[in-house]
Amino acid sequence: MSLRFEPVIGTVIISGLSVGDACSMPLRWEERRKALFRMPAGSIFEPELDLHSLFSQIQLDLGQVISCSPLLEYPVGQWESSRQNLQPERKSGEIIVEYSAHPDAHFHLFNNSSVSVRELEEGVERASSLLTSVMAANKRVTLRIVEAGMNNPIPVKLHVHGPNGEYLAPLDRNRNPNPGWFQYYSNEFRHGDHLTTYISGSTIIDLPLGDVYVEITKGFEVKPIRKTLQITSETEAITLEMEKVLHWRERGWVTADTHVHFLSPSTAMLEGAAEGVNVINLLASQWGELMTNVGDFDGHTTFGTTAAGGSGEFLVRVGTENRQHALGHISLLGYSGPMILPLCSGGADESAIGDPVDVALTEWARQCRAKGGLVVLPHFPDPRLENAATIVLGEADAVEMCSFTDLYSGIDPYSLSDWYRYLNNGYLIPAVAGTDKMSGRFAVGTIRTYAKIQNDHEFSYNTWMEAVRAGHTFVTYGPLIDFHVDGQRMGKRMKLKASGGTLEVTWNVASVTLPMTTVQLIVNGEVRESRAVRPDEESGSWSVRVDKSCCLALLVRAKYDDKLEIIAAHASPIMVDVEGSHLFAAADAVTILEQIEGSMAYIDTVGTRANAKRYKEIRMIFQSAYRRLHNRMHEMGFDHPHSVKTHHHDHN
């Protein structure tokens, strides 16, 4: 046999020739498939790629190995009775290999053996083979999630996997979401190896025949679904119903995440609706030379309102997180008009290198309030220096409990202890909750704020802000709280005569996602009463004798069977002022004063100065806060140590 090339015109360049006996066009590969690669006992799979993007232990001719990842083992037999967001177990010796190849291709393995792709996919038995085929996901199915008793699709968070733990993504979603910081801002959530996505209520997905495993969640008031589905060649569409079992929203409570980054407003709205979060606060900010979400800020639009074409039930408002790496961060929510600038100050790593400390957090707070906004101290208390001055001067509306990426850590006791420090000195500042979402590893609403809208008001972004300002809030990882003292709700100040009195504390708690264990009454930062409760719902009351001014709040503990107990929910306090008695905790007051001193020390020493006038104006803010608390301490008759710069003749 011979080949002869005769150009009709010009020159022919031949770069190479190959000869074979392929069953079909060798450049046409088959659709994507998966196989299970079982390593011999004692062997470790090496996931690193070489310079040619090839794995060292498994390769393909006439094809491409797309990915190799450990097999994920879920509790198959107990799937429907296990809890949501359960992490699968990694089987490090068993690898799911995703590939695309020609039918005549062969896998070449680390032990110099080869496996025919055709034989693998046809299920031909090979005693020496380390590879077995995984059922192809090529049955296209429409999946609909509807409200129980209704036929209307509802937004939800969805997870589907096959019999080998392989994640099955809808056609318009990422099969392997990127978890990197600001490398990903689509609508998925990657909780370790457990992958989920947000859908509007209906989606199209390719499934394998046989058993597939579905998990569907929607916030803290709807019962999660974990179901095993049987997929046959006849399956075209599947409809699943979700049941709402708690009704806090119908009683005027609305939910919020006060701290979300990087999403677009429309994606944030979908994720909020799917997680049952009524208000998403999407915060523009600066990260050195990077500005994020600034194009989404216009100072007036609330996305999702009926006026903006939405339902009015799930809202997104773009605010700003203004930041300084030592003095702290401050979230400015819902303000109107031009953006409050600069977004960040003081240099790396919040603002750009060389930027001066040309504004104080307290000044940002005042600007926000003047524009009708809500001032929140995020991921309280860190970074913590100027928090103290802002609170003492009365310029903060709330402190934020933060979850970040952890679904199970609960409310940080460190955050609570610092919050109690201010409450114990009479600063009635409520709690809100945010996630500080910055990648696909964060889920909006992991911890969330519940705020009670006044009975005669419709829900809107403005009435939500009013509820937060009034302190009608609790923060939660799942359990829901209703808490009153003598009929007064969270955030209220009560007055008693000098003789004090006995207060009736009533509460109701409920949870559909996280089993509760204990309810505790917190008085001045300490546990006064404690009671074990049922995991799903409980009501109770205590009679509490009060002789001096105090601060009362409710705390709920909870746990999953496979996790440690956490502080799962906490109410904003009710403050009781007894005539002739003041809320004052000397040790806490000293610590607050020391933080204000720290702010002054920072701008006096290492903080980059803008100019002398600005430096003096900022320092005067801290000096004003210092004097306000310092004078109060003297009024309370408390003698205290001073730093060299703050020593005065009263202590000679």
Side-chain angles (χ1 to χ4, degrees):
M1 184 180 74
S2 64
L3 291 173
R4 181 175 179 178
F5 297 91
E6 293 186 0
V8 175
I9 186 172
T11 303
V12 173
I13 298 177
I14 301 169
S15 60
L17 292 172
S18 63
V19 178
D21 188 21
C23 67
S24 61
M25 171 62 180
L27 300 181
R28 186 176 67 229
W29 295 351
E30 299 298 306
E31 64 183 357
R32 188 172 55 245
R33 292 290 302 269
K34 292 178 181 178
L36 178 59
F37 181 29
R38 290 187 175 89
M39 298 290 293
S43 298
I44 298 175
F45 182 75
E46 298 172 3
E48 295 81 13
L49 300 175
D50 66 16
L51 293 176
H52 304 289
S53 296
L54 299 176
F55 293 98
S56 63
Q57 293 162 306
I58 182 168
Q59 297 176 9
L60 261 175
D61 56 27
L62 288 176
Q64 175 71 51
V65 174
I66 301 168
S67 65
C68 291
S69 54
L71 181 142
L72 303 177
E73 189 173 79
Y74 286 93
V76 175
Q78 295 79 40
W79 173 252
E80 295 191 358
S81 60
S82 58
R83 65 168 173 80
Q84 74 279 3
N85 295 316
L86 187 66
Q87 278 290 308
E89 179 184 351
R90 279 192 168 211
K91 310 295 285 187
S92 58
E94 299 179 75
I95 307 299
I96 295 292
V97 179
E98 190 174 43
Y99 66 94
S100 178
H102 187 275
D104 290 344
H106 286 74
F107 283 100
H108 298 275
L109 307 181
F110 65 97
N111 60 358
N112 296 321
S113 65
S114 65
V115 178
S116 162
V117 167
R118 178 180 286 106
E119 291 181 356
L120 173 69
E121 295 179 355
E122 290 176 354
V124 176
E125 291 189 12
R126 293 174 52 94
S128 62
S129 176
L130 301 174
L131 287 170
T132 55
S133 181
V134 170
M135 178 69 71
N138 52 18
K139 177 57 183 174
R140 191 151 294 179
V141 175
T142 299
L143 180 63
R144 295 178 72 248
I145 316 300
V146 301
E147 187 178 358
M150 311 287 286
N151 196 40
N152 54 304
I154 54 174
V156 296
K157 183 169 68 179
L158 172 70
H159 163 87
V160 184
H161 71 261
N164 292 286
E166 69 275 22
Y167 175 60
L168 301 168
L171 297 187
D172 58 349
R173 296 294 189 268
N174 292 296
R175 295 181 296 113
N176 188 26
N178 185 342
W181 184 90
F182 200 49
Q183 297 177 37
Y184 168 83
Y185 32 95
S186 188
N187 42 17
E188 278 109 351
F189 170 48
R190 183 167 190 148
H191 176 223
D193 290 320
H194 186 69
L195 307 184
T196 60
T197 188
Y198 297 99
I199 65 171
S200 59
S202 179
T203 193
I204 298 174
I205 185 169
D206 286 343
L207 302 174
L209 301 182
D211 289 346
V212 297
Y213 304 87
V214 177
E215 173 188 278
I216 307 166
T217 60
K218 188 178 173 64
F220 295 169
E221 300 180 37
V222 178
K223 185 177 181 180
I225 291 177
R226 288 169 77 82
K227 195 172 184 63
T228 304
L229 302 177
Q230 296 287 328
I231 307 301
T232 71
S233 59
E234 305 299 319
T235 305
E236 299 293 337
I238 298 171
T239 298
L240 298 173
E241 292 189 343
M242 297 199 79
E243 180 185 6
K244 187 171 186 179
V245 296
L246 299 179
H247 298 279
W248 255 244
R249 176 67 187 93
E250 288 78 3
R251 292 159 53 181
W253 292 95
V254 296
T255 58
D257 188 331
T258 52
H259 200 159
V260 174
H261 291 291
F262 301 166
L263 296 178
S264 69
S266 57
T267 299
M269 198 180 309
L270 170 60
E271 295 196 11
E275 290 282 7
V277 179
N278 300 106
V279 178
I280 296 288
N281 289 282
L282 185 60
L283 304 184
S285 197
Q286 176 183 359
W287 320 80
E289 301 291 350
L290 172 67
M291 305 288 182
T292 61
N293 284 112
V294 293
D296 298 313
F297 179 94
D298 64 8
H300 64 84
T301 298
T302 300
F303 300 90
T305 63
T306 53
S311 67
E313 184 64 12
F314 298 101
L315 309 178
V316 174
R317 181 71 179 238
V318 183
T320 57
E321 184 185 12
N322 296 56
R323 305 180 302 135
Q324 208 283 332
H325 67 276
L327 295 177
H329 298 184
I330 196 163
S331 297
L332 311 179
L333 312 182
Y335 65 87
S336 299
M339 185 178 289
I340 294 173
L341 299 173
L343 281 171
C344 296
S345 77
D349 53 1
E350 269 82 358
S351 66
I353 295 173
D355 284 346
V357 183
D358 55 354
V359 62
L361 271 66
T362 304
E363 292 177 298
W364 278 324
R366 288 169 176 166
Q367 291 180 62
C368 179
R369 285 179 150 192
K371 292 169 171 282
L374 187 75
V375 176
V376 173
L377 300 179
H379 36 67
F380 187 80
D382 293 325
R384 66 187 301 162
L385 277 185
E386 198 182 334
N387 286 343
T390 306
I391 293 174
V392 168
L393 292 172
E395 299 294 353
D397 294 306
V399 299
E400 178 187 272
M401 306 298 149
C402 201
S403 62
F404 299 106
T405 62
D406 198 333
L407 302 186
Y408 308 119
S409 62
I411 300 171
D412 188 352
Y414 174 65
S415 298
L416 290 179
S417 65
D418 212 60
W419 181 38
Y420 293 163
R421 193 186 313 279
Y422 293 93
L423 298 178
N424 290 345
N425 278 285
Y427 301 106
L428 180 50
I429 184 167
V432 294
T435 55
D436 202 0
K437 176 179 171 64
M438 289 188 284
S439 77
R441 296 187 300 115
F442 297 67
V444 297
T446 294
I447 185 173
R448 63 190 63 180
T449 312
Y450 268 74
K452 183 71 159 58
I453 305 298
Q454 292 187 42
N455 293 335
D456 56 346
H457 286 63
E458 294 291 329
F459 165 52
S460 68
Y461 189 84
N462 284 334
T463 57
W464 172 76
M465 287 197 296
E466 290 171 5
V468 173
R469 290 190 191 101
H472 305 330
T473 68
F474 65 88
V475 296
T476 180
Y477 275 78
L480 309 186
I481 296 174
D482 211 351
F483 166 64
H484 295 82
V485 175
D486 274 8
Q488 299 295 315
R489 59 187 177 183
M490 295 163 267
K492 289 289 189 178
R493 277 189 181 270
M494 301 172 55
K495 293 186 180 297
L496 293 180
K497 295 181 179 179
S499 58
T502 299
L503 303 176
E504 190 68 15
V505 176
T506 59
W507 50 267
N508 173 240
V509 294
S511 183
V512 70
T513 58
L514 176 58
M516 300 181 295
T517 57
T518 310
V519 167
Q520 295 177 326
L521 177 66
I522 307 298
V523 180
N524 293 351
E526 297 180 350
V527 177
R528 174 71 67 87
E529 302 284 352
S530 185
R531 175 175 163 182
V533 294
R534 295 191 302 268
D536 55 348
E537 191 164 9
E538 191 86 61
S539 298
S541 63
W542 292 295
S543 293
V544 179
R545 175 66 192 177
V546 171
D547 298 314
K548 58 182 180 179
S549 295
C550 61
C551 190
L552 298 90
L554 200 74
L555 179 153
V556 180
R557 297 180 182 272
K559 74 181 299 294
Y560 293 112
D561 290 341
D562 60 333
K563 296 291 180 181
L564 297 174
E565 185 178 67
I566 62 174
I567 301 173
H570 202 298
S572 287
I574 297 167
M575 199 162 277
V576 180
D577 293 320
V578 177
E579 185 179 352
S581 168
H582 300 277
L583 267 169
F584 178 74
D588 289 334
V590 169
T591 299
I592 296 169
L593 203 66
E594 288 173 345
Q595 290 179 44
I596 300 173
E597 289 178 341
S599 297
M600 291 189 286
Y602 172 74
I603 65 167
D604 287 346
T605 56
V606 299
T608 301
R609 295 186 185 178
N611 54 59
K613 181 175 181 292
R614 267 277 71 200
Y615 158 71
K616 291 177 181 178
E617 290 170 343
I618 293 171
R619 198 181 194 286
M620 186 58 67
I621 292 171
F622 302 149
Q623 190 69 43
S624 174
Y626 182 91
R627 287 174 177 167
R628 182 175 296 189
L629 178 56
H630 175 262
N631 292 344
R632 183 172 175 231
M633 293 168 72
H634 279 280
E635 290 170 5
M636 299 300 295
F638 179 66
D639 189 10
H640 60 98
H642 286 69
S643 67
V644 174
K645 284 195 173 185
T646 57
H647 187 77
H648 56 86
H649 65 85
D650 291 342
H651 291 266
N652 289 332

